[in-house]
Amino acid sequence: MIKKIINFTSLFVFMVLVGCIGEEKGQLSRVDVQKIDTEENYEDVVMITDSESIELLRQAFEQI
């Protein structure tokens, strides 16, 4: 259970630090997500670029 929490936290931090790339300051245009499996190996990167998902992520980041 603790390992899953650490994996989720690592994924979230990675997503925020690496995935938030904007055309201008404050503008979120895409998010790159990379999952870490239970053996702490990185899996494929998924790029989220559709505007609806970006808007949902932007709203989630505002609440944090």
Side-chain angles (χ1 to χ4, degrees):
M1 182 67 174
I2 299 278
K3 193 165 194 152
K4 286 185 179 185
I5 293 171
I6 291 171
N7 286 343
F8 178 78
T9 304
S10 299
L11 175 64
F12 182 77
V13 169
F14 179 80
M15 184 175 69
V16 170
L17 294 177
V18 177
C20 298
I21 300 171
E23 295 174 5
E24 61 183 62
K25 188 174 182 179
Q27 181 64 37
L28 186 63
S29 62
R30 84 172 200 213
V31 176
D32 297 336
V33 180
Q34 188 172 25
K35 183 178 176 183
I36 303 173
D37 66 16
T38 56
E39 287 91 35
E40 298 184 10
N41 297 316
Y42 292 101
E43 295 182 6
D44 292 335
V45 175
V46 176
M47 187 183 315
I48 301 171
T49 58
D50 68 279
S51 59
E52 290 180 26
S53 297
I54 295 294
E55 181 61 24
L56 287 172
L57 288 169
R58 186 189 63 75
Q59 291 172 3
F61 291 149
E62 285 179 356
Q63 294 179 4
I64 297 175

